[in-house]
Amino acid sequence: MLIDLLSRWPLIRQLQTGADGTGTEAMSTNTRNLRPKTLGAQVTPSICPYCGVGCGQLVFHREGKLIAIEGDPKSPISRGHLCPKGADTLELHTHPGRLKKVKYRRPYSRSWEEIDLEIAMDMVADRLWDSRQRTFQESKDGDVLMQTTAIAHLGGATLDNEENYLIKKLFSAGLGMVCISNQARI
Amino acid sequence: MPGLGTSFGRGAATTAQQDLSNADVILIMGSSMAENHPVGFQWVVEAREKGAKVIHVDPRFTRTSAMADIWVPLRAGSDILFLGALIRYVLENNKQFGDYVVNYTNAPMILREDFRDTEDLDGLFSGWNRKKEEYNPETWLYQGAAINVGHVDHKPGQADFGGGHGKDRGGEAQDPGQYEEDRTLAHPRCVFQVLKRHFSRYTPEIVERFCGVPTEMFLKVAETFSSASGPDKTGAICYAVGWTQHSKGVQIIRAAAILQLLLGNIGRPGGGVLALRGHASIQGSTDIPTLYDILPGYLPMPFFEADSKTFKNYIKKHSVRTGLWSAFEKYFVSLMKAYYGGGATKANDWGFDWLPRVTGDHSHFGYWLDMADGKLEGLFVMGQNPAVGGANGRLERKALAKLKWLVVRDMVESETASFWYDSPEVKRGELSPGTIATEIFLFPAAGTAEKEGTFTNTQRLLQYRNKAVDPPGDARSDTWFMYHLGRRMKQKAAQDSESHNDGLRALTWKYTVKGEHEEPDVQEVLKEINGYTVADGKQLAHIKDLRKDGSTACGAWIYCGVYPEYNRANERNPKDLLGHGWGFAWPNDCRIIYNRASARPDGKPWSERKKLVWWDEKKKQWTGLDTPDYEKKMAPDMPAKIHTGRGSEALGGARPFTLHPDGVGWIWVASGLKDGPLPTHYEPLESLLKNPLYGQQENPAVDKKARRDNPYADSPGDRRYPYILSTYRLTEHHTAGGMTRTLSHLAELQPELFTEVSPEFAAEVGLRHGEYATITTPRATIEARVLVTPRVRPLRINGRIVHQVGLPYHWGYSGQTTGDVVNDLLVISEEPNVRIMETKALVCDVKPGRRPRGKPAIENPLV
Amino acid sequence: MSVTAFLTDSTLCIGCKACEVACKEWNQLSEDGLDWSGYSYDNTGALGASTWRHVKFVEETPTPGVGGNAGEQATWVFSSDVCKHCEIAGCLEACPTGALVRTEFGGVFLQPDVCNGCAYCVVACPFGVVDKNHEDGRAFKCTFCYDRQKVGLQPACAKACPTESIKFGEINQLRAEAEERVRVLEQRGMQDASLYDPTHTSVGGIHTMFIVRGDARSYNLPPNPEVPTHYLRKGWTSAAISAGLLLGGTLLAFLTDGARERR
């Protein structure tokens, strides 16, 4: 144990190696054992959420916690690089301003309340059904209309294709909502 | 996209970002690519390092201009003048790629005798109906074309209620019929000659006087760009929202498309038009559209009109005799089978009558104005922030207060979710929580590392994201939300036997759920989008496998082939520059579309240097460096039978633009656009000048939506607003700011809203660098820090000095850095084809100092 | 273990600041203040305890028709500043605790578990790089991603850079590349391009070289950076002479004084 302690003493190491005390011999145990935090972590390939370039990203994580998000060198488009926004994707997921609970505002209320997710879903389904029942028009002048213009949807360009698919499928093909739009035009 | 869609056949970028490195010249206009697509820009730098010339045309000298060889400042809103002059230059100096133009474009087609050009009608085309404020495009058709459907009010290729995205673009009315052509391009009514005449007055002198670009600078650009033409050279054009967010946005892109068709740059390596999309999956959100006028794959929604009353009529209206759209019925029936499963049968027209009909302008602004008038009950907002991102923000936010209920899904509390207590309207006393009845649900959303799914990026590439970790707390993906909402709606429908719920009951909604969160299997949705045979559930492999007899189901025909037996969007083994083996590009994994055009009519490449796809005489099939965007075994010498044939085969072996019924690139768009077959210079809706070329001041087909709460400046030349205003983006922030102003590392890079002004302008108005300026339009007043920089220049326009003011629009009232909402300054206007607003050229007034605060002392509805 | 280096080629830099963010994310550095500087697009200001990459924006008046890549003029140039990891490092020489060490890759690493916050290194750096975090008490600077290099990974900033303006590799190879690059740029008409690597001073050359256009001083790169210990001999000699004179003068004063008294 004494030998172990002595061997970790920079002075001893300096004498042993004959160095001048400014190199690796002067490193602490921490420094000598330094490894990147992503070593041994799981790596999941993903895509950047920001612009339309579609840079490849590698998401490093361990036990359900995100560690780092970097570029994917294999991507033929981005070749491992990221812009400042893509490089900040980890903070996008972990910053303190992220919502974790459903917030609910009663009519005329001056503040938010937190409510349970399943209850919120039930409430939204009720309002959607209700509004639709009241405003749906099956036909006009004897011709098929099958629509409601009283409920609308906005959003899509930041969503996945599968999400947009389900939105259009349920809202239009299922519920007859025609007022559907998103950021895209051209 | 209709700009690209009508010109070439598909509303999407024609090439891949990596392919820019093959270009001999690159024109970046209507975009600051280095700032807004920095990682994509590495390919421009590669091209530059290989010797390519990079031209950047932009009112400001930006970080992109810093990397370009030539920077051209011009007046915001004068793009068509500039591009039209480039077209004229090419034609006058015979710089077009002759063989390409004759064989692969509709330049030789002869037009009707009763067509009148803007040169004849002082800025209008023939067919303008002054009362209805719309065109009847019949006179734009080819001579000899057949008009498809016989309804009296039928306007070939146009729908009453807009629908700029729909397959109308393909021009079902543009059945070429017994068209005639002159391959010597000499006939006075052939497209080539009409084009020449149309742009004859777009001279370098006009460009100097009204764009503010000196003649020699214009000629330098013209020479440089047009030199990249012919068998051995190609040039690419990159554009973004600087071109699209105009009252004539589609036509600006059309002008670029015409230029590229003349120079023979489409479908060839280093060529093309690269539409730089701004969001991660905005291409996907039109392909699989959350848009009112289309269904997946750009199939049109049925409109409430005589032509679409029945399934039979609808199919007849939208089918085309020749080209890929001749299979329209196959695409549509397969979609209905995906939507309604066993409930869609031949007997009930595949559930056609369960689809809602479009009866008006149901786009963002269309229904938002109805919302402002109290006509809407509920709204879902998912991953969008219209309180900051929408035009005329005050109107947008006040409209939200008229809803009964609002559901917002986002990762943070966006300004849209907090409008009821935190907006400028509340701070001014115009609204107060105590009088806002809106019930609001704010759902926490999952981030991209916390959910799996595909994005379709700017070059039509589907890339799958795998899930790394669970989202925190009650945050869920939108797939989760939609699935469970749908499940609940179907439960309610099961108990309510009314007929208007038949479609909902028939809707297929069985996705496997897993885990404690009951997360639906996203890959099942992607498999449905890809398509499968109904009988055995086997995945389809190719668009050709689709059937109209109900035996196939397919959620989006253009994506068919992404998930045959395995998820091609999740493949990560790139083999070459174009990236084959990494992701799946629609259609059919073609990386550069229309690539048949990279070979001569006889099937040999135009040159060794620019070879891409060619005919293998031994194997009797198309082969090359990319998946051929063509019928694989169609020999180049197969004759075209456009006049009498049917299907894709009718196009023969030498017509690369297979979505068009005549198989050629459309310099002339006879049907499909509401504002004309050719781009025409119109002034922005709010302009300082009269239109220098025509009496028609602005795009006549624009829907201005002018009303008390959406007022316009007098145009031209409203003395109250003497400066030009343009909005733009910064690298450090993203769109409405919810994903960047909330993050410390990005907020510190650009911590405050600022306006960029020239030193001359600052001196004239009395602005001081670092202090504040107040910017006013008829809609709003905002303040910003002043950044005086020589990178913004006054321009000499028609003899007088004109000043341009720029503002990045990322700020809002929540996040680590807050600021005034720049988009409050904008007016809501709708370009006629896609209903996009004009953000890039409007007028404003600027004064030094901070803006007023608090409740206005005098009641003024405009403040 | 080969000595590694950065070559930052500002003719490829687009001023995006991905390097700043990638560094902060990897090292979990905090923001430096949300203050708008008004100085071009540079709100970072300078390198510091929690900013280890800083993109400088050097702005001139543009000429219409002339882009930034043209040889005629450098209108708006961007360059990512970083710790120079000097061959002879002033901070290393000044550090009394051995917190600053030279790694096997040739970079200068500040061990946070050894640093006592004396800040001698701060005044000793000729480039003004290393800085003390007054809340934390210790000094910090770029680590050259020592943790990443240990397993063969490139530093976070080099990985992120979209246009490979920041190149990372073996130092001699990069030096050769740099010289070739300057030649190529001059051929293209950029007569104002130069390589910054002050081998002629006591710093002995740096491990993070720069290719810049125009005056290197615009990029916070001093023409003649010196390590303070360079002045040691002169300083001690002057001190010794002064001490000698003082001692001599004092003795003289006492001796002559005594002589007067004895008379």
Side-chain angles (χ1 to χ4, degrees), chain A residues 95 97-99 103 112, chain B residues 385 408 410-422 442 738 742 813-815:
Chain A
H95 73 102
R98 259 197 89 176
L99 297 169
K103 284 184 165 178
W112 289 114
Chain B
N385 191 6
V408 178
D410 212 304
M411 289 173 81
V412 296
E413 187 176 319
S414 66
E415 286 82 352
T416 302
S418 66
F419 80 93
W420 51 280
Y421 70 91
D422 206 15
L442 175 57
T742 44
Y813 38 91
S814 43

PDB file of all heavy atoms in Angstrom, chain A residues 95 97-99 103 112, chain B residues 385 408 410-422 442 738 742 813-815:
ATOM      1  N   HIS A  95     -33.314  20.746 -20.875  1.00  0.00           N
ATOM      2  CA  HIS A  95     -33.346  22.048 -20.209  1.00  0.00           C
ATOM      3  C   HIS A  95     -34.524  22.135 -19.241  1.00  0.00           C
ATOM      4  O   HIS A  95     -35.546  21.455 -19.405  1.00  0.00           O
ATOM      5  CB  HIS A  95     -33.376  23.182 -21.234  1.00  0.00           C
ATOM      6  CG  HIS A  95     -34.688  23.344 -21.941  1.00  0.00           C
ATOM      7  ND1 HIS A  95     -35.583  24.333 -21.603  1.00  0.00           N
ATOM      8  CD2 HIS A  95     -35.244  22.672 -22.969  1.00  0.00           C
ATOM      9  CE1 HIS A  95     -36.627  24.264 -22.403  1.00  0.00           C
ATOM     10  NE2 HIS A  95     -36.452  23.264 -23.242  1.00  0.00           N
ATOM     11  N   GLY A  97     -36.855  24.172 -18.746  1.00  0.00           N
ATOM     12  CA  GLY A  97     -38.149  24.715 -19.164  1.00  0.00           C
ATOM     13  C   GLY A  97     -39.061  23.697 -19.819  1.00  0.00           C
ATOM     14  O   GLY A  97     -40.170  24.023 -20.257  1.00  0.00           O
ATOM     15  N   ARG A  98     -38.622  22.453 -19.912  1.00  0.00           N
ATOM     16  CA  ARG A  98     -39.440  21.446 -20.599  1.00  0.00           C
ATOM     17  C   ARG A  98     -40.667  21.080 -19.804  1.00  0.00           C
ATOM     18  O   ARG A  98     -40.606  20.912 -18.583  1.00  0.00           O
ATOM     19  CB  ARG A  98     -38.625  20.172 -20.808  1.00  0.00           C
ATOM     20  CG  ARG A  98     -38.093  20.064 -22.198  1.00  0.00           C
ATOM     21  CD  ARG A  98     -37.676  18.688 -22.492  1.00  0.00           C
ATOM     22  NE  ARG A  98     -38.782  17.907 -23.033  1.00  0.00           N
ATOM     23  CZ  ARG A  98     -38.658  16.661 -23.449  1.00  0.00           C
ATOM     24  NH1 ARG A  98     -37.490  16.066 -23.342  1.00  0.00           N
ATOM     25  NH2 ARG A  98     -39.676  16.004 -23.924  1.00  0.00           N
ATOM     26  N   LEU A  99     -41.767  20.902 -20.527  1.00  0.00           N
ATOM     27  CA  LEU A  99     -43.010  20.508 -19.875  1.00  0.00           C
ATOM     28  C   LEU A  99     -42.984  19.017 -19.573  1.00  0.00           C
ATOM     29  O   LEU A  99     -42.553  18.222 -20.412  1.00  0.00           O
ATOM     30  CB  LEU A  99     -44.194  20.789 -20.810  1.00  0.00           C
ATOM     31  CG  LEU A  99     -44.428  22.249 -21.188  1.00  0.00           C
ATOM     32  CD1 LEU A  99     -45.452  22.322 -22.308  1.00  0.00           C
ATOM     33  CD2 LEU A  99     -44.896  23.048 -19.990  1.00  0.00           C
ATOM     34  N   LYS A 103     -50.818  20.789 -18.616  1.00  0.00           N
ATOM     35  CA  LYS A 103     -51.321  22.001 -17.956  1.00  0.00           C
ATOM     36  C   LYS A 103     -52.719  22.277 -18.485  1.00  0.00           C
ATOM     37  O   LYS A 103     -52.993  22.140 -19.672  1.00  0.00           O
ATOM     38  CB  LYS A 103     -50.397  23.179 -18.281  1.00  0.00           C
ATOM     39  CG  LYS A 103     -49.100  23.154 -17.505  1.00  0.00           C
ATOM     40  CD  LYS A 103     -48.289  24.396 -17.811  1.00  0.00           C
ATOM     41  CE  LYS A 103     -47.189  24.596 -16.808  1.00  0.00           C
ATOM     42  NZ  LYS A 103     -46.367  25.767 -17.118  1.00  0.00           N
ATOM     43  N   TRP A 112     -52.722  28.356 -14.532  1.00  0.00           N
ATOM     44  CA  TRP A 112     -52.716  26.965 -14.969  1.00  0.00           C
ATOM     45  C   TRP A 112     -52.982  26.039 -13.786  1.00  0.00           C
ATOM     46  O   TRP A 112     -52.686  26.365 -12.644  1.00  0.00           O
ATOM     47  CB  TRP A 112     -51.325  26.589 -15.503  1.00  0.00           C
ATOM     48  CG  TRP A 112     -50.889  27.167 -16.804  1.00  0.00           C
ATOM     49  CD1 TRP A 112     -49.868  28.047 -16.991  1.00  0.00           C
ATOM     50  CD2 TRP A 112     -51.388  26.867 -18.110  1.00  0.00           C
ATOM     51  NE1 TRP A 112     -49.696  28.331 -18.316  1.00  0.00           N
ATOM     52  CE2 TRP A 112     -50.623  27.610 -19.036  1.00  0.00           C
ATOM     53  CE3 TRP A 112     -52.404  26.032 -18.593  1.00  0.00           C
ATOM     54  CZ2 TRP A 112     -50.835  27.557 -20.417  1.00  0.00           C
ATOM     55  CZ3 TRP A 112     -52.625  25.988 -19.975  1.00  0.00           C
ATOM     56  CH2 TRP A 112     -51.840  26.745 -20.865  1.00  0.00           C
TER      57      TRP A 112
ATOM     58  N   ASN B 385     -46.152  27.300 -33.682  1.00  0.00           N
ATOM     59  CA  ASN B 385     -46.318  28.397 -32.731  1.00  0.00           C
ATOM     60  C   ASN B 385     -46.811  29.648 -33.451  1.00  0.00           C
ATOM     61  O   ASN B 385     -46.064  30.610 -33.622  1.00  0.00           O
ATOM     62  CB  ASN B 385     -44.967  28.658 -32.039  1.00  0.00           C
ATOM     63  CG  ASN B 385     -45.084  29.590 -30.861  1.00  0.00           C
ATOM     64  OD1 ASN B 385     -46.176  29.979 -30.450  1.00  0.00           O
ATOM     65  ND2 ASN B 385     -43.946  29.973 -30.306  1.00  0.00           N
ATOM     66  N   VAL B 408     -52.880  22.486 -27.199  1.00  0.00           N
ATOM     67  CA  VAL B 408     -51.534  22.766 -27.706  1.00  0.00           C
ATOM     68  C   VAL B 408     -50.621  21.636 -27.269  1.00  0.00           C
ATOM     69  O   VAL B 408     -50.668  21.200 -26.121  1.00  0.00           O
ATOM     70  CB  VAL B 408     -50.983  24.103 -27.158  1.00  0.00           C
ATOM     71  CG1 VAL B 408     -49.558  24.340 -27.665  1.00  0.00           C
ATOM     72  CG2 VAL B 408     -51.884  25.254 -27.570  1.00  0.00           C
ATOM     73  N   ASP B 410     -46.559  20.718 -27.215  1.00  0.00           N
ATOM     74  CA  ASP B 410     -45.222  21.274 -27.472  1.00  0.00           C
ATOM     75  C   ASP B 410     -44.285  20.824 -26.371  1.00  0.00           C
ATOM     76  O   ASP B 410     -44.726  20.324 -25.336  1.00  0.00           O
ATOM     77  CB  ASP B 410     -45.299  22.806 -27.512  1.00  0.00           C
ATOM     78  CG  ASP B 410     -44.278  23.398 -28.466  1.00  0.00           C
ATOM     79  OD1 ASP B 410     -43.065  23.110 -28.303  1.00  0.00           O
ATOM     80  OD2 ASP B 410     -44.670  24.149 -29.376  1.00  0.00           O
ATOM     81  N   MET B 411     -42.993  21.029 -26.586  1.00  0.00           N
ATOM     82  CA  MET B 411     -42.027  20.636 -25.563  1.00  0.00           C
ATOM     83  C   MET B 411     -41.941  21.696 -24.466  1.00  0.00           C
ATOM     84  O   MET B 411     -41.500  21.406 -23.352  1.00  0.00           O
ATOM     85  CB  MET B 411     -40.641  20.430 -26.179  1.00  0.00           C
ATOM     86  CG  MET B 411     -40.553  19.183 -27.042  1.00  0.00           C
ATOM     87  SD  MET B 411     -38.979  19.068 -27.917  1.00  0.00           S
ATOM     88  CE  MET B 411     -37.921  18.420 -26.637  1.00  0.00           C
ATOM     89  N   VAL B 412     -42.306  22.920 -24.819  1.00  0.00           N
ATOM     90  CA  VAL B 412     -42.262  24.019 -23.846  1.00  0.00           C
ATOM     91  C   VAL B 412     -43.594  24.758 -23.895  1.00  0.00           C
ATOM     92  O   VAL B 412     -44.401  24.540 -24.791  1.00  0.00           O
ATOM     93  CB  VAL B 412     -41.137  25.013 -24.185  1.00  0.00           C
ATOM     94  CG1 VAL B 412     -39.773  24.363 -24.071  1.00  0.00           C
ATOM     95  CG2 VAL B 412     -41.341  25.594 -25.573  1.00  0.00           C
ATOM     96  N   GLU B 413     -43.778  25.667 -22.948  1.00  0.00           N
ATOM     97  CA  GLU B 413     -44.980  26.490 -22.978  1.00  0.00           C
ATOM     98  C   GLU B 413     -44.751  27.586 -24.008  1.00  0.00           C
ATOM     99  O   GLU B 413     -44.142  28.615 -23.721  1.00  0.00           O
ATOM    100  CB  GLU B 413     -45.241  27.097 -21.599  1.00  0.00           C
ATOM    101  CG  GLU B 413     -46.572  27.827 -21.536  1.00  0.00           C
ATOM    102  CD  GLU B 413     -46.876  28.352 -20.149  1.00  0.00           C
ATOM    103  OE1 GLU B 413     -46.618  27.624 -19.169  1.00  0.00           O
ATOM    104  OE2 GLU B 413     -47.360  29.493 -20.045  1.00  0.00           O
ATOM    105  N   SER B 414     -45.226  27.356 -25.206  1.00  0.00           N
ATOM    106  CA  SER B 414     -45.000  28.305 -26.296  1.00  0.00           C
ATOM    107  C   SER B 414     -45.891  29.524 -26.125  1.00  0.00           C
ATOM    108  O   SER B 414     -46.829  29.517 -25.320  1.00  0.00           O
ATOM    109  CB  SER B 414     -45.314  27.640 -27.638  1.00  0.00           C
ATOM    110  OG  SER B 414     -46.695  27.343 -27.712  1.00  0.00           O
ATOM    111  N   GLU B 415     -45.600  30.547 -26.904  1.00  0.00           N
ATOM    112  CA  GLU B 415     -46.397  31.773 -26.833  1.00  0.00           C
ATOM    113  C   GLU B 415     -47.859  31.519 -27.217  1.00  0.00           C
ATOM    114  O   GLU B 415     -48.763  32.211 -26.762  1.00  0.00           O
ATOM    115  CB  GLU B 415     -45.797  32.848 -27.753  1.00  0.00           C
ATOM    116  CG  GLU B 415     -44.510  33.486 -27.248  1.00  0.00           C
ATOM    117  CD  GLU B 415     -43.252  32.685 -27.529  1.00  0.00           C
ATOM    118  OE1 GLU B 415     -43.376  31.530 -27.989  1.00  0.00           O
ATOM    119  OE2 GLU B 415     -42.158  33.200 -27.284  1.00  0.00           O
ATOM    120  N   THR B 416     -48.066  30.501 -28.065  1.00  0.00           N
ATOM    121  CA  THR B 416     -49.440  30.167 -28.432  1.00  0.00           C
ATOM    122  C   THR B 416     -50.199  29.648 -27.206  1.00  0.00           C
ATOM    123  O   THR B 416     -51.389  29.907 -27.032  1.00  0.00           O
ATOM    124  CB  THR B 416     -49.441  29.093 -29.540  1.00  0.00           C
ATOM    125  OG1 THR B 416     -48.714  29.608 -30.663  1.00  0.00           O
ATOM    126  CG2 THR B 416     -50.842  28.736 -29.964  1.00  0.00           C
ATOM    127  N   ALA B 417     -49.504  28.925 -26.348  1.00  0.00           N
ATOM    128  CA  ALA B 417     -50.162  28.375 -25.167  1.00  0.00           C
ATOM    129  C   ALA B 417     -50.341  29.418 -24.074  1.00  0.00           C
ATOM    130  O   ALA B 417     -51.218  29.271 -23.218  1.00  0.00           O
ATOM    131  CB  ALA B 417     -49.352  27.199 -24.646  1.00  0.00           C
ATOM    132  N   SER B 418     -49.526  30.464 -24.099  1.00  0.00           N
ATOM    133  CA  SER B 418     -49.587  31.416 -22.983  1.00  0.00           C
ATOM    134  C   SER B 418     -50.197  32.746 -23.381  1.00  0.00           C
ATOM    135  O   SER B 418     -50.138  33.709 -22.627  1.00  0.00           O
ATOM    136  CB  SER B 418     -48.177  31.658 -22.443  1.00  0.00           C
ATOM    137  OG  SER B 418     -47.384  32.307 -23.414  1.00  0.00           O
ATOM    138  N   PHE B 419     -50.817  32.788 -24.567  1.00  0.00           N
ATOM    139  CA  PHE B 419     -51.335  34.062 -25.066  1.00  0.00           C
ATOM    140  C   PHE B 419     -52.318  34.698 -24.094  1.00  0.00           C
ATOM    141  O   PHE B 419     -52.429  35.920 -24.003  1.00  0.00           O
ATOM    142  CB  PHE B 419     -52.042  33.844 -26.415  1.00  0.00           C
ATOM    143  CG  PHE B 419     -53.449  33.294 -26.291  1.00  0.00           C
ATOM    144  CD1 PHE B 419     -54.531  34.159 -26.244  1.00  0.00           C
ATOM    145  CD2 PHE B 419     -53.677  31.939 -26.162  1.00  0.00           C
ATOM    146  CE1 PHE B 419     -55.826  33.670 -26.095  1.00  0.00           C
ATOM    147  CE2 PHE B 419     -54.957  31.433 -26.012  1.00  0.00           C
ATOM    148  CZ  PHE B 419     -56.041  32.308 -25.964  1.00  0.00           C
ATOM    149  N   TRP B 420     -53.003  33.868 -23.309  1.00  0.00           N
ATOM    150  CA  TRP B 420     -54.122  34.360 -22.492  1.00  0.00           C
ATOM    151  C   TRP B 420     -53.658  35.130 -21.256  1.00  0.00           C
ATOM    152  O   TRP B 420     -54.449  35.793 -20.603  1.00  0.00           O
ATOM    153  CB  TRP B 420     -55.025  33.206 -22.068  1.00  0.00           C
ATOM    154  CG  TRP B 420     -54.288  32.076 -21.435  1.00  0.00           C
ATOM    155  CD1 TRP B 420     -53.588  31.092 -22.068  1.00  0.00           C
ATOM    156  CD2 TRP B 420     -54.145  31.830 -20.036  1.00  0.00           C
ATOM    157  NE1 TRP B 420     -53.019  30.244 -21.162  1.00  0.00           N
ATOM    158  CE2 TRP B 420     -53.349  30.667 -19.894  1.00  0.00           C
ATOM    159  CE3 TRP B 420     -54.616  32.461 -18.876  1.00  0.00           C
ATOM    160  CZ2 TRP B 420     -53.005  30.139 -18.664  1.00  0.00           C
ATOM    161  CZ3 TRP B 420     -54.287  31.923 -17.647  1.00  0.00           C
ATOM    162  CH2 TRP B 420     -53.484  30.775 -17.543  1.00  0.00           C
ATOM    163  N   TYR B 421     -52.338  35.067 -20.936  1.00  0.00           N
ATOM    164  CA  TYR B 421     -51.894  35.868 -19.797  1.00  0.00           C
ATOM    165  C   TYR B 421     -50.601  36.620 -20.079  1.00  0.00           C
ATOM    166  O   TYR B 421     -50.218  37.511 -19.333  1.00  0.00           O
ATOM    167  CB  TYR B 421     -51.729  35.007 -18.540  1.00  0.00           C
ATOM    168  CG  TYR B 421     -50.566  34.034 -18.575  1.00  0.00           C
ATOM    169  CD1 TYR B 421     -49.309  34.393 -18.098  1.00  0.00           C
ATOM    170  CD2 TYR B 421     -50.738  32.736 -19.068  1.00  0.00           C
ATOM    171  CE1 TYR B 421     -48.253  33.505 -18.125  1.00  0.00           C
ATOM    172  CE2 TYR B 421     -49.681  31.838 -19.096  1.00  0.00           C
ATOM    173  CZ  TYR B 421     -48.452  32.220 -18.626  1.00  0.00           C
ATOM    174  OH  TYR B 421     -47.407  31.329 -18.653  1.00  0.00           O
ATOM    175  N   ASP B 422     -49.929  36.269 -21.177  1.00  0.00           N
ATOM    176  CA  ASP B 422     -48.587  36.807 -21.367  1.00  0.00           C
ATOM    177  C   ASP B 422     -48.400  37.590 -22.666  1.00  0.00           C
ATOM    178  O   ASP B 422     -47.331  38.108 -22.916  1.00  0.00           O
ATOM    179  CB  ASP B 422     -47.587  35.633 -21.347  1.00  0.00           C
ATOM    180  CG  ASP B 422     -46.207  36.069 -20.913  1.00  0.00           C
ATOM    181  OD1 ASP B 422     -46.083  37.181 -20.358  1.00  0.00           O
ATOM    182  OD2 ASP B 422     -45.247  35.314 -21.151  1.00  0.00           O
ATOM    183  N   LEU B 442     -52.602  22.068 -22.420  1.00  0.00           N
ATOM    184  CA  LEU B 442     -51.226  22.110 -22.910  1.00  0.00           C
ATOM    185  C   LEU B 442     -50.570  20.771 -22.591  1.00  0.00           C
ATOM    186  O   LEU B 442     -50.303  20.452 -21.433  1.00  0.00           O
ATOM    187  CB  LEU B 442     -50.457  23.258 -22.244  1.00  0.00           C
ATOM    188  CG  LEU B 442     -48.968  23.382 -22.560  1.00  0.00           C
ATOM    189  CD1 LEU B 442     -48.714  23.508 -24.050  1.00  0.00           C
ATOM    190  CD2 LEU B 442     -48.366  24.588 -21.837  1.00  0.00           C
ATOM    191  N   GLY B 738     -39.183  28.562 -30.155  1.00  0.00           N
ATOM    192  CA  GLY B 738     -39.468  27.661 -29.039  1.00  0.00           C
ATOM    193  C   GLY B 738     -38.375  26.620 -28.820  1.00  0.00           C
ATOM    194  O   GLY B 738     -38.189  26.119 -27.718  1.00  0.00           O
ATOM    195  N   THR B 742     -35.232  29.060 -25.734  1.00  0.00           N
ATOM    196  CA  THR B 742     -35.391  28.408 -24.442  1.00  0.00           C
ATOM    197  C   THR B 742     -34.085  27.762 -23.990  1.00  0.00           C
ATOM    198  O   THR B 742     -33.988  27.263 -22.873  1.00  0.00           O
ATOM    199  CB  THR B 742     -36.448  27.313 -24.560  1.00  0.00           C
ATOM    200  OG1 THR B 742     -36.205  26.592 -25.794  1.00  0.00           O
ATOM    201  CG2 THR B 742     -37.849  27.892 -24.634  1.00  0.00           C
ATOM    202  N   TYR B 813     -42.470  36.312 -26.454  1.00  0.00           N
ATOM    203  CA  TYR B 813     -42.495  36.755 -25.070  1.00  0.00           C
ATOM    204  C   TYR B 813     -42.190  35.685 -24.035  1.00  0.00           C
ATOM    205  O   TYR B 813     -42.350  35.910 -22.838  1.00  0.00           O
ATOM    206  CB  TYR B 813     -43.828  37.446 -24.746  1.00  0.00           C
ATOM    207  CG  TYR B 813     -45.053  36.821 -25.395  1.00  0.00           C
ATOM    208  CD1 TYR B 813     -45.776  35.824 -24.751  1.00  0.00           C
ATOM    209  CD2 TYR B 813     -45.494  37.236 -26.653  1.00  0.00           C
ATOM    210  CE1 TYR B 813     -46.889  35.258 -25.342  1.00  0.00           C
ATOM    211  CE2 TYR B 813     -46.608  36.672 -27.259  1.00  0.00           C
ATOM    212  CZ  TYR B 813     -47.302  35.672 -26.602  1.00  0.00           C
ATOM    213  OH  TYR B 813     -48.401  35.113 -27.197  1.00  0.00           O
ATOM    214  N   SER B 814     -41.776  34.491 -24.459  1.00  0.00           N
ATOM    215  CA  SER B 814     -41.328  33.541 -23.431  1.00  0.00           C
ATOM    216  C   SER B 814     -39.973  32.964 -23.794  1.00  0.00           C
ATOM    217  O   SER B 814     -39.538  33.047 -24.932  1.00  0.00           O
ATOM    218  CB  SER B 814     -42.355  32.425 -23.223  1.00  0.00           C
ATOM    219  OG  SER B 814     -42.856  31.956 -24.438  1.00  0.00           O
ATOM    220  N   GLY B 815     -39.270  32.422 -22.820  1.00  0.00           N
ATOM    221  CA  GLY B 815     -37.954  31.847 -23.067  1.00  0.00           C
ATOM    222  C   GLY B 815     -36.872  32.621 -22.336  1.00  0.00           C
ATOM    223  O   GLY B 815     -37.142  33.566 -21.599  1.00  0.00           O
TER     224      GLY B 815
END
